[in-house]
Amino acid sequence: IGAGLAGLSCAINLLKEKNRKITLYEASSLYGGRCRSYNEKNFNCLLDNGNHLIIKAYKNTFSYLRKINAHKELLTNKKTFYPFVDIKKSEMWNVKPYSFVLPWWVFFKSCRPRNVSFLDFIKSFKIFFAKKNQTVFDLLEKDSLIYKRFWKPFTIAVLNTHPNEASAKLLSRIIIKTLFFNNDPLRPYVVKKSLSDSLIKPAVKRVLDQGNNIKCNTRLKKIIFKNNFAKEMIFNKNTIKIGKDELIVLAVTPNVASKILPNIKTPKKTNCILNIHFKLNRQHNEIKLPDGSFFVGVIGGVIDWIFKKKNILSITISAANYLNNIDDNKISEIVWEDIKKVFNLDTIKKPKYKIIREKMATFVQSPEEIFRKPKMYTKYKNVFLAGDWIDTGLPATIEGAITSGY
């Protein structure tokens, strides 16, 4: 139930069981959940609902891409680097987190954030001894340069949660998972054309080509249970009886799951991700990202990340609940002022824009909320859970969603 990444990942993984017949039910007319693309009429082009950076350490994501024959639908830089701009201090630098078994890059000044020392990183390693109830904010010096230029953007990017709420234990677990990854685990990738073309359409095609069914505009309203077994699924269009050998995977959002399954404990607090797309024209030719990269991180402003694909400049602002009550025009003005500082654009006017607010993009990955994450198994013997909010040991990311389907 649900044709987002978690549901599609589960379906793709089940294809190896030749005796299984799979039916995917999707409530909307679009596949992909929060990882989708659509035709924007005002731009006359395809837009992604947001920007998703994939790193080489996402082993299940790359396995999924190989299974749907889409592993060549990603782009990466020639070298592993993350460019940053501090718009308050007008400084630029590249973080070059190349690792082989150990993160040796922190030893080299040219690889670290500007004016951040090796000793600064050593002092930060107390995060690996975090207690379950501690936040990232609790363990680090808030006024330090390494906090502003490394830990804060890193935490918000990975957890979509501000350090003053983010679980230090979860963040340290993620670092350890990538720290000992074979070779170059933090190499960044983005999709070539669109999220749908790289991650969704090939999966849908593979499911259908294997003789299975996908039904859209089919919303699950209720499940009837008896003796800890699901007996019937009630949809907006019809009711389906569950056979004794059939299994249900609920790959839905936590708020939907809590309505369908009585007494299930799920994360409640959510964080917004706000994306704003600008359609550039000839007068914006000065906008070039550093060193030929396809993205740049921003310090000291409202923007977190800027991505550029042809004539579309896409901005991501994570943990963006504080912008929920500000109207689109005001946000576009604030963001464009940041962009002007990044690219030294003095008088160039703001171009046409489109704002996409994912108000419940992820749950708040705080010490309190992560302990509300359920396992994939439920008390009902033929009902299982999938989604980036399930307890896989990973944060709510593409890798978390895909892994939950495994």
Side-chain angles (χ1 to χ4, degrees):
I1 312 298
L5 265 181
L8 287 169
S9 168
C10 182
I12 292 296
N13 203 44
L14 286 171
L15 290 178
K16 64 188 177 189
E17 299 186 26
K18 301 298 182 183
N19 60 332
R20 285 279 181 202
K21 188 76 173 175
I22 302 163
T23 304
L24 262 172
Y25 296 93
E26 168 56 40
S28 73
S29 59
L30 298 171
Y31 305 127
R34 294 194 308 276
C35 185
R36 65 184 184 277
S37 312
Y38 73 101
N39 284 306
E40 174 54 48
K41 293 178 182 178
N42 290 331
F43 280 24
N44 194 30
C45 69
L46 199 65
L47 283 185
D48 291 330
N49 71 315
N51 300 301
H52 291 274
L53 203 61
I54 295 168
I55 60 171
K56 190 178 175 183
Y58 284 4
K59 61 179 183 179
N60 287 330
T61 299
F62 281 95
S63 171
Y64 167 82
L65 287 167
R66 285 190 294 272
K67 287 175 182 176
I68 63 174
N69 198 29
H71 55 288
K72 294 181 180 179
E73 296 301 314
L74 299 180
L75 292 172
T76 187
N77 291 324
K78 291 180 180 179
K79 295 182 179 180
T80 298
F81 71 97
Y82 290 71
F84 283 90
V85 177
D86 187 326
I87 58 175
K88 284 187 176 177
K89 297 191 175 182
S90 300
E91 294 180 342
M92 298 178 68
W93 64 90
N94 291 335
V95 175
K96 303 172 186 175
Y98 182 84
S99 300
F100 184 76
V101 182
L102 291 172
W104 55 263
W105 61 274
V106 299
F107 290 93
F108 298 93
K109 181 180 179 181
S110 62
C111 296
R112 299 189 299 261
R114 188 167 182 172
N115 297 326
V116 172
S117 70
F118 172 66
L119 186 60
D120 291 328
F121 273 96
I122 293 297
K123 289 177 182 177
S124 300
F125 282 1
K126 56 189 170 184
I127 198 168
F128 295 112
F129 305 96
K131 297 176 182 177
K132 290 182 179 180
N133 64 339
Q134 287 183 306
T135 66
V136 174
F137 207 66
D138 292 333
L139 295 170
L140 302 173
E141 295 178 23
K142 297 80 180 172
D143 296 323
S144 65
L145 211 55
I146 192 172
Y147 174 79
K148 295 173 183 175
R149 293 189 168 181
F150 183 79
W151 288 110
K152 184 180 177 183
F154 179 66
T155 302
I156 293 173
V158 173
L159 300 182
N160 187 36
T161 304
H162 192 279
N164 63 7
E165 286 189 290
S167 166
K169 192 80 174 173
L170 178 60
L171 189 67
S172 66
R173 198 184 303 151
I174 296 157
I175 295 169
I176 291 167
K177 275 180 178 288
T178 59
L179 198 67
F180 299 102
F181 192 87
N182 288 332
N183 184 25
D184 204 10
L186 295 177
R187 175 175 279 272
Y189 293 80
V190 291
V191 297
K192 271 186 183 177
K193 185 179 178 184
S194 72
L195 293 171
S196 290
D197 285 297
S198 296
L199 292 160
I200 307 305
K201 287 180 180 178
V204 170
K205 183 178 185 300
R206 182 154 172 75
V207 171
L208 294 174
D209 285 350
Q210 296 285 326
N212 300 290
N213 296 313
I214 302 181
K215 299 182 179 182
C216 59
N217 296 314
T218 308
R219 183 178 297 277
L220 180 65
K221 309 288 280 187
K222 188 177 181 181
I223 297 178
I224 305 298
F225 298 98
K226 187 178 180 182
N227 298 327
N228 283 341
F229 276 89
K231 293 294 185 181
E232 291 183 349
M233 294 189 295
I234 300 174
F235 291 93
N236 58 328
K237 295 179 178 179
N238 59 349
T239 298
I240 297 173
K241 291 188 181 298
I242 308 301
K244 63 178 183 178
D245 295 323
E246 292 185 313
L247 303 173
I248 300 169
V249 179
L250 282 178
V252 295
T253 58
N255 59 314
V256 172
S258 60
K259 292 174 183 175
I260 301 295
L261 298 181
N263 304 317
I264 187 176
K265 185 168 73 171
T266 67
K268 299 296 183 187
K269 287 180 68 178
T270 59
N271 263 338
C272 173
I273 295 179
L274 187 144
N275 291 281
I276 177 166
H277 304 282
F278 292 98
K279 186 172 184 180
L280 307 179
N281 51 46
R282 288 179 183 175
Q283 66 172 323
H284 302 111
N285 287 339
E286 296 174 49
I287 297 180
K288 290 183 173 62
L289 300 191
D291 300 318
S293 178
F294 43 76
F295 69 95
V296 61
V298 180
I299 307 294
V302 171
I303 295 172
D304 289 317
W305 299 95
I306 300 174
F307 294 78
K308 188 170 185 286
K309 192 183 291 183
K310 295 183 179 178
N311 67 331
I312 302 296
L313 198 71
S314 297
I315 313 303
T316 294
I317 306 171
S318 299
N321 287 357
Y322 68 99
L323 297 174
N324 282 348
N325 295 322
I326 301 177
D327 67 73
D328 285 1
N329 185 60
K330 179 66 175 174
I331 289 174
S332 71
E333 294 289 344
I334 294 169
V335 169
W336 189 248
E337 285 303 309
D338 275 5
I339 291 170
K340 284 164 66 175
K341 292 174 185 174
V342 170
F343 298 107
N344 297 316
L345 309 173
D346 292 327
T347 58
I348 296 178
K349 293 182 180 179
K350 178 183 70 178
K352 190 183 294 185
Y353 69 90
K354 174 68 178 180
I355 289 180
I356 300 174
R357 303 174 191 248
E358 294 278 355
K359 288 195 173 181
M360 296 192 294
T362 68
F363 66 92
V364 175
Q365 296 178 86
S366 65
E368 297 79 21
E369 292 297 306
I370 64 172
F371 289 107
R372 297 183 63 87
K373 293 169 74 172
K375 301 291 184 184
M376 65 174 285
Y377 300 98
T378 71
K379 64 181 280 190
Y380 306 104
K381 296 179 181 179
N382 57 347
V383 179
F384 301 87
L385 299 172
D388 63 9
W389 53 279
I390 302 302
D391 187 8
T392 60
L394 297 171
T397 56
I398 281 180
E399 178 73 354
I402 288 174
T403 299
S404 75
Y406 278 53

